[in-house]
Amino acid sequence: MNHLKLIVKNFNSLVERRSYFFNKSELKIILSFYSRMVSKGFWKDYGLNISKEEVSFNVYRRTSENPEFRICKNFRQKNNNLKYFTSDSQGNILNMSKNLERLLNNTKWKNLKLVN
């Protein structure tokens, strides 16, 4: 008797697996911008926050504080302009764009300061 195989179509494996992170070119743009801001003395530390809705690059003035700014990539956008956005420590959206490099260049980082 021949060996019989049961084949079940698993729809979870057929669905394209999405990468929930920045791709290499996006990360290169963010890290080069971050290094410029560190060399100027504005930023001291960073962290990453990853979820299925968005991934964010959090920027800290000091390690023990809340993030001063967040550079986010939204995976479930309702608006096409909301793919990349920057937000402050309170969660207010400062700027949004479809292009990450344009977003980082158009945001006026020097004028933004944390007010106690």
Side-chain angles (χ1 to χ4, degrees), residues 10-66:
N10 188 352
F11 292 107
N12 291 334
S13 65
L14 296 177
V15 175
E16 179 183 336
R17 301 214 180 245
R18 293 181 59 181
S19 174
Y20 293 109
F21 199 68
F22 294 110
N23 62 29
K24 186 176 179 179
S25 62
E26 293 167 342
L27 204 55
K28 182 179 177 182
I29 292 169
I30 291 172
L31 288 175
S32 66
F33 184 75
Y34 172 76
S35 65
R36 280 185 280 158
M37 296 301 275
V38 168
S39 66
K40 292 178 184 178
F42 295 127
W43 296 345
K44 303 289 184 205
D45 199 8
Y46 74 93
L48 295 169
N49 188 12
I50 304 166
S51 70
K52 288 187 178 183
E53 286 83 28
E54 70 181 20
V55 60
S56 65
F57 186 88
N58 303 329
V59 178
Y60 297 89
R61 183 177 299 272
R62 291 178 201 85
T63 307
S64 61
E65 294 179 349
N66 291 331

Side-chain angles (χ1 to χ4, degrees), residues 47-95:
L48 295 169
N49 188 12
I50 304 166
S51 70
K52 288 187 178 183
E53 286 83 28
E54 70 181 20
V55 60
S56 65
F57 186 88
N58 303 329
V59 178
Y60 297 89
R61 183 177 299 272
R62 291 178 201 85
T63 307
S64 61
E65 294 179 349
N66 291 331
E68 186 174 351
F69 298 109
R70 293 176 45 210
I71 302 167
C72 302
K73 178 181 179 181
N74 192 1
F75 297 115
R76 297 184 182 175
Q77 68 253 19
K78 295 177 184 174
N79 184 355
N80 286 338
N81 289 335
L82 200 60
K83 183 170 184 180
Y84 301 106
F85 63 93
T86 56
S87 65
D88 61 0
S89 60
Q90 287 82 26
N92 301 325
I93 295 178
L94 303 173
N95 203 352

Side-chain angles (χ1 to χ4, degrees), residues 89-90 113-116:
S89 60
Q90 287 82 26
K113 293 185 179 181
L114 187 64
V115 179
N116 291 332

